[in-house]
Amino acid sequence: MQSHHIVRAYDDELKYLTRKIAAMGGHAERLVDQSVAALVNSDTSLARKVIEDDAILDQAQREIDDKSILIIARRQPVAADLREIIGAIRIAADLERVGDLAKNVAKRVVAVAEGRQPVSLFRGLEALAELALTQLKEVLDVYASRSVERIEFVRARDNQIDAMYTSLFRELLTYMMEDPRNITPCTHLLFCAKNIERIGDHATNIAETIFYVVTGDQMPADRPKEDKSHHVTLPVEHK
Amino acid sequence: MQSHHIVRAYDDELKYLTRKIAAMGGHAERLVDQSVAALVNSDTSLARKVIEDDAILDQAQREIDDKSILIIARRQPVAADLREIIGAIRIAADLERVGDLAKNVAKRVVAVAEGRQPVSLFRGLEALAELALTQLKEVLDVYASRSVERIEFVRARDNQIDAMYTSLFRELLTYMMEDPRNITPCTHLLFCAKNIERIGDHATNIAETIFYVVTGDQMPADRPKEDKSHHVTLPVEHK
């Protein structure tokens, strides 16, 4: 009976971690969604809410870290259980960063709102955010279901996100060259786009961690990189 | 005798982690240094070397992760030893990101070299990089010496880095407005500056991890944030 109780308590501890990660994932999705909505609608009060709510993710990460270390010390797990706990620490770190990136988008709402951007720019940014959010959602679904056979989609979509980001980068540079009044707001939009692209990277990191947790193997290191924005240069037309 | 051998082997394993982190730190410093030198001197072959050498850090992180998990499973450490190992995993992740950021600077060397920037811009970037590198070096010194009482300097300097980055951000926007030919190269420089500022953040993360490893406590969460670049907007002068 005694050992049965211990196993049960241990199992509950592991489930606590999984639930806490799922809750963090839900918060992270909401912050990303709201930060982009705040940007597109110049909604400074929603932006403020995102900036405040990021603290929820910081706090959750600390709790997961503390709890994980406590479980390792108390239960001395090996193999799959140990990977589960190390995985929780890693995924919590990625989700905490996703929150930071959403906060960073929210912080730029005021600077962007001071200019008047073409609607197409916001459409591009919304499409990018939608792709990144779908990525994050699916990765969290894979975490919940442990169906790692679905994980390959993640890298394919990460490449799509990078390609879309590069095209948005080019478009933003074009607007900046057309009119110097666009420079400040478009620079902030460039950073917003980069932040959203990074959210996709963190979703990919999480996918790799899940693969490791479930299989005990690392996914191969080199993946094709489609973010070509660092090569983008535009010719200047003199009027 | 037997248990003496085991303790000795365990001790060697922990020392292996510490040495490996120190080596990663050295590589990371070199990559940051070389990426900025490549940028300032338009040295594309040095840039290529940085991009290639980043793989060393990726590989080192995997080794540290694998070894850490092996040690936890085999030795079932608690308290300070467990914190030491979890700390190694975290610091390796930060150093791997520093390598990515240096690689990202190196990737922009070609795009920046196509324009002709005022010397003062490069001076500003070099000064920022120097501060970030000093930060990284001192943090790695604290890791080697475990003298956490020196750790407060880290946050103070992180604020300095953020303030310098914000002023560089403003300067870069000004150049972009002065001449549309500056827009493309200065945008890439903006991202380089942001990458260097992020290196400072990772150094600060490492400091926080060391504090946790040595004391068992977390440093308080909220620190003042001096990166005000997201508020920067510039009035446009019409000629």
Side-chain angles (χ1 to χ4, degrees):
Chain A
M1 271 312 269
Q2 179 68 7
S3 86
H4 177 75
H5 276 302
I6 290 173
V7 170
R8 176 81 181 274
Y10 180 22
D11 215 45
D12 285 349
E13 284 172 351
L14 292 180
K15 276 191 192 133
Y16 168 89
L17 285 184
T18 319
R19 266 203 320 275
K20 196 87 194 167
I21 293 277
M24 268 192 94
H27 276 301
E29 283 175 27
R30 181 175 59 78
L31 291 192
V32 175
D33 197 39
Q34 290 179 339
S35 69
V36 175
L39 191 69
V40 169
N41 305 315
S42 300
D43 184 340
T44 50
S45 79
L46 184 58
R48 219 168 13 244
K49 186 173 155 43
V50 170
I51 294 165
E52 279 165 16
D53 285 358
D54 175 54
I56 299 172
L57 289 180
D58 294 349
Q59 181 55 31
Q61 189 202 359
R62 276 169 190 245
E63 279 173 36
I64 288 171
D65 275 11
D66 289 348
K67 187 76 178 180
S68 297
I69 292 167
L70 214 65
I71 301 176
I72 295 175
R74 190 188 292 158
R75 308 294 182 184
Q76 316 203 319
V78 294
D81 284 351
L82 180 54
R83 290 203 304 274
E84 187 70 42
I85 298 165
I86 298 287
I89 293 177
R90 281 191 197 152
I91 294 171
D94 277 303
L95 291 173
E96 189 270 336
R97 268 305 289 160
V98 169
D100 284 347
L101 292 162
K103 182 169 75 170
N104 208 290
V105 169
K107 279 181 175 177
R108 294 183 193 273
V109 167
V110 173
V112 171
E114 287 186 12
R116 210 156 280 303
Q117 278 64 52
V119 173
S120 74
L121 277 187
F122 281 133
R123 289 290 155 277
L125 207 77
E126 279 181 304
L128 185 69
E130 204 173 309
L131 215 54
L133 262 180
T134 309
Q135 182 85 317
L136 190 58
K137 271 187 202 137
E138 293 210 23
V139 161
L140 291 166
D141 280 353
V142 172
Y143 180 71
S145 65
R146 303 295 151 120
S147 44
V148 282
E149 69 283 358
R150 285 172 49 210
I151 238 165
E152 265 311 310
F153 78 84
V154 171
R155 286 186 174 177
R157 196 180 291 118
D158 195 37
N159 287 340
Q160 247 181 295
I161 292 173
D162 290 342
M164 199 186 267
Y165 164 70
T166 301
S167 118
L168 198 55
F169 186 96
R170 192 183 298 272
E171 204 184 340
L172 283 159
L173 280 191
T174 308
Y175 281 111
M176 288 156 87
M177 287 184 179
E178 278 173 9
D179 186 339
R181 281 172 296 184
N182 292 338
I183 291 178
T184 296
C186 284
T187 298
H188 288 289
L189 280 178
L190 267 176
F191 276 100
C192 291
K194 183 70 196 169
N195 288 334
I196 294 168
E197 186 264 336
R198 288 288 304 150
I199 289 168
D201 288 342
H202 284 286
T204 307
N205 288 351
I206 294 173
E208 289 172 357
T209 299
I210 298 169
F211 186 88
Y212 164 77
V213 167
V214 174
T215 68
D217 293 321
Q218 308 264 12
M219 282 174 90
D222 26 57
R223 48 177 149 142
K225 241 325 194 182
E226 293 297 322
D227 168 8
K228 302 259 187 287
S229 69
H230 38 80
H231 294 310
V232 173
T233 59
L234 293 183
V236 182
E237 289 153 38
H238 287 280
K239 295 157 206 167
Chain B
M1 271 312 270
Q2 179 68 4
S3 87
H4 177 73
H5 276 301
I6 290 173
V7 170
R8 178 81 180 273
Y10 179 23
D11 215 45
D12 285 348
E13 285 172 351
L14 291 180
K15 275 190 192 134
Y16 167 90
L17 286 183
T18 319
R19 266 203 319 276
K20 197 88 194 166
I21 293 277
M24 269 192 94
H27 277 301
E29 282 176 26
R30 180 175 60 78
L31 291 191
V32 175
D33 198 38
Q34 290 179 339
S35 69
V36 175
L39 191 69
V40 170
N41 305 315
S42 300
D43 185 340
T44 51
S45 77
L46 185 59
R48 222 169 10 244
K49 187 173 153 44
V50 170
I51 294 165
E52 280 164 15
D53 285 359
D54 175 54
I56 300 172
L57 289 180
D58 294 349
Q59 181 55 32
Q61 190 202 357
R62 276 170 190 246
E63 280 173 36
I64 288 170
D65 275 11
D66 289 348
K67 187 76 178 179
S68 296
I69 291 167
L70 214 64
I71 301 175
I72 294 175
R74 190 187 292 157
R75 308 296 182 182
Q76 314 204 318
V78 294
D81 284 349
L82 179 55
R83 290 202 305 274
E84 187 70 42
I85 298 166
I86 298 287
I89 292 176
R90 280 191 198 153
I91 294 171
D94 277 304
L95 291 173
E96 190 269 336
R97 268 305 290 160
V98 169
D100 284 346
L101 292 162
K103 183 169 75 169
N104 208 291
V105 169
K107 280 181 175 176
R108 294 183 192 273
V109 166
V110 173
V112 171
E114 287 185 12
R116 209 156 279 305
Q117 278 64 51
V119 173
S120 73
L121 276 188
F122 282 133
R123 290 288 155 278
L125 207 76
E126 279 183 303
L128 185 69
E130 205 173 308
L131 215 54
L133 262 180
T134 309
Q135 182 84 318
L136 190 58
K137 270 188 200 131
E138 293 209 24
V139 161
L140 292 165
D141 280 353
V142 171
Y143 180 70
S145 65
R146 304 294 151 120
S147 44
V148 282
E149 69 283 359
R150 285 171 50 211
I151 237 164
E152 266 310 312
F153 77 87
V154 171
R155 285 185 174 178
R157 197 181 291 116
D158 195 37
N159 287 339
Q160 248 180 293
I161 291 173
D162 291 343
M164 200 186 267
Y165 164 70
T166 302
S167 118
L168 198 55
F169 186 95
R170 192 183 298 273
E171 205 183 339
L172 282 159
L173 280 191
T174 308
Y175 281 111
M176 289 158 86
M177 287 185 179
E178 277 173 9
D179 187 340
R181 282 172 297 185
N182 293 339
I183 290 178
T184 296
C186 284
T187 298
H188 289 288
L189 280 178
L190 266 177
F191 277 100
C192 291
K194 183 69 196 171
N195 287 333
I196 295 168
E197 186 264 336
R198 287 288 305 151
I199 289 169
D201 288 343
H202 285 286
T204 306
N205 287 351
I206 294 173
E208 289 172 357
T209 299
I210 300 169
F211 186 88
Y212 164 76
V213 167
V214 174
T215 67
D217 293 321
Q218 309 264 11
M219 282 174 90
D222 27 56
R223 43 176 153 143
K225 242 324 194 181
E226 292 298 321
D227 168 7
K228 302 259 188 286
S229 67
H230 40 80
H231 294 309
V232 173
T233 58
L234 292 183
V236 183
E237 290 152 37
H238 288 280
K239 294 158 204 166

